[in-house]
Amino acid sequence: MTIPFLNLTELHAPLKQEMLKELDEVLGQSSFILGGKVQQFEEDFAAYCGVDHAIGVNSGTTALHMALLALDVGPGDEVLVPAMTFVATAEAVRYTGATPIFIDIEPGRMTLDPALIEKSITSRTKAIIPVHLYGLMADMPAICAIAKKHGLKVIEDAAQAHGAEVDGRRAGQWGDIACFSFYPGKNLGACGEAGAVVTRSADLDEQVRILRDWGQEGRYNHVRQGFNARMDGFQGAMLGVKLKHLEKWTEARRALGKIYWEKLADVPGIVMQAVPDDCRHVYHVLAVLVNNRDAVQTALSDSGVQSGIHYPYPVPHLKSFKSMGHVMGDFPVSEAVGKKELSLPMCPTLSKEQIATVCGTLKRSLEDISS
Ligand SMILES: *Cc1c(COP(=O)(O)O)cnc(C)c1O
């Protein structure tokens, strides 16, 4: 019996009738772009995040791009980003003509290291994008304090962190603006591409709404360079159905995360992502660090346990970022995570017994490989 990394078909099965009814309504209204379902979802998602405004767009990457433009980031500007993240964080910065400046992550927590920020700030630095990696919030109190001191904007990349909290405040409530992805595999996923920008600022809300809809302020009144970045009606409808279950699913992920901790935290050769006491980790990814990662992954796969890697290379070491001239050794913590990180099965539909099987198989594989 295979243990899947993620099983969306099983997750959606109990909601299928409701989802089909919603799709039927969108079809009946022909409200394919934005429309009532998207508007309702925007209101509900803003409330979920505890902010006043959410703007639906067509991907998480677009959310980052629009957020940067709303803050007037452009050519000549520098934006600080963690070296260990999905490539989209840095690509969105390049789309604006600005330069991503990479910073290493903290050991343990594995998010942007606040202690390394100040030495990377120059007269060109305009913003910081902390990434809430694997569903664990970056150290937002420290990062926001540094940003405030230096007059920098903060854009949260919350693509992996729907409902995550630090200090009792949710992802989306810390930065000037925050970006979510609803890629199907994320904690809240659409049935296709979708994303959202959330903010407490009415001005930024207005700018993102203008940007996502061809730079229009009212029909055919194009006031700035704009984009076709709107969320589609079917996705708004699917997200509306799924949002109602997000807290329950998040609690299921946290319960599975707890079992992983009980079974793996004291095992020699396994390092877990360190979760500070003031954080609500939403376990988008259950990340462990192990030696001989690729061999361990193969052994798991041979025993029917699916796993993933997030991510094998720090972004500045990707070929596409070669022109920035970084070399091995520039980002030691990110480089170690790239070599050792293994993502174990994590899905609200998994059972305790399945997690126990994963942990047993992992322990045996580690013993076999190191002996
Ligand atoms: C998924 C992801 C994105 C991009 O979201 P898309 O919806 O796939 O465009 C950006 N940043 C991070 C950290 C992500 O995990």
Side-chain angles (χ1 to χ4, degrees):
M1 268 286 283
T2 341
I3 298 183
F5 183 67
L6 173 70
N7 187 342
L8 289 176
T9 309
E10 201 181 339
L11 190 72
H12 291 159
L15 310 180
K16 197 171 162 191
Q17 288 315 316
E18 193 184 352
M19 289 168 93
L20 289 173
K21 184 175 146 276
E22 287 288 300
L23 294 177
D24 193 52
E25 276 182 32
V26 173
L27 197 55
Q29 297 160 359
S30 296
S31 53
F32 299 125
I33 311 291
L34 299 176
K37 301 284 182 194
V38 171
Q39 205 179 330
Q40 185 63 51
F41 172 71
E42 288 177 338
E43 284 172 27
D44 295 345
F45 192 66
Y48 180 82
C49 296
V51 297
D52 288 337
H53 312 281
I55 307 102
V57 294
N58 57 21
S59 75
T61 307
T62 301
L64 287 163
H65 185 196
M66 301 299 110
L68 285 158
L69 292 175
L71 290 167
D72 288 322
V73 171
D77 294 332
E78 293 177 349
V79 178
L80 308 181
V81 300
M84 180 48 69
T85 179
F86 182 59
V87 69
T89 317
E91 284 294 27
V93 174
R94 294 207 293 196
Y95 294 167
T96 69
T99 305
I101 301 295
F102 294 100
I103 293 183
D104 209 355
I105 55 173
E106 290 184 59
R109 189 174 192 150
M110 304 187 200
T111 53
L112 186 78
D113 191 343
L116 303 177
I117 292 176
E118 284 193 303
K119 61 178 158 197
S120 296
I121 294 175
T122 71
S123 58
R124 292 167 177 261
T125 311
K126 186 114 178 205
I128 310 179
I129 312 184
V131 178
H132 307 318
L133 197 66
Y134 311 141
L136 178 65
M137 299 280 295
D139 186 350
M140 297 309 288
I143 293 167
C144 290
I146 296 167
K148 193 170 175 199
K149 179 173 156 198
H150 294 273
L152 306 178
K153 300 296 183 189
V154 176
I155 300 160
E156 291 177 66
D157 183 337
Q160 305 185 358
H162 318 73
E165 294 175 9
V166 58
D167 228 354
R169 276 168 72 191
R170 281 205 168 166
Q173 295 186 323
W174 287 88
D176 293 280
I177 201 162
C179 302
F180 289 86
S181 165
F182 306 122
Y183 179 81
K186 297 288 160 74
N187 285 22
L188 178 62
C191 301
E193 303 273 7
V197 176
V198 311
T199 179
R200 292 166 287 165
S201 155
D203 285 347
L204 291 175
D205 172 65
E206 188 186 2
Q207 284 310 309
V208 175
R209 285 180 192 282
I210 289 171
L211 283 160
R212 76 165 174 185
D213 190 21
W214 290 116
Q216 295 182 93
E217 204 183 315
R219 200 155 202 209
Y220 299 128
N221 181 30
H222 302 267
V223 295
R224 66 182 288 182
Q225 184 186 46
F227 298 82
N228 179 352
R230 300 160 301 209
M231 183 185 278
D232 87 57
F234 285 125
Q235 300 313 330
M238 295 299 88
L239 288 164
V241 172
K242 291 182 71 179
L243 179 60
K244 290 184 271 175
H245 301 271
L246 181 58
E247 270 307 284
K248 180 183 73 194
W249 288 334
T250 300
E251 283 308 317
R253 286 175 182 272
R254 286 172 51 72
L256 298 177
K258 192 161 168 256
I259 299 171
Y260 273 117
W261 266 89
E262 285 163 9
K263 297 200 181 288
L264 298 180
D266 298 327
V267 175
I270 296 182
V271 175
M272 312 280 294
Q273 183 182 23
V275 188
D277 285 343
D278 61 354
C279 286
R280 181 188 197 218
H281 195 326
V282 295
Y283 291 103
H284 173 58
V285 165
L286 192 296
V288 296
L289 304 185
V290 292
N291 289 331
N292 306 307
R293 187 261 325 273
D294 295 347
V296 174
Q297 185 172 39
T298 304
L300 287 182
S301 158
D302 290 346
S303 306
V305 174
Q306 293 183 354
S307 61
I309 297 173
H310 299 90
Y311 299 91
Y313 310 104
V315 178
H317 292 327
L318 295 170
K319 192 173 170 192
S320 144
F321 286 82
K322 211 175 152 191
S323 63
M324 300 198 61
H326 287 295
V327 294
M328 274 296 163
D330 284 356
F331 308 98
V333 184
S334 299
E335 289 158 16
V337 169
K339 279 203 199 80
K340 297 180 173 190
E341 197 275 340
L342 184 66
S343 307
L344 300 175
M346 177 50 83
C347 178
T349 57
L350 287 170
S351 67
K352 278 186 195 166
E353 292 71 25
Q354 284 174 307
I355 302 300
T357 305
V358 173
C359 294
T361 311
L362 175 61
K363 280 190 249 181
R364 252 177 286 120
S365 306
L366 284 173
E367 284 161 17
D368 290 350
I369 286 161
S370 61
S371 66

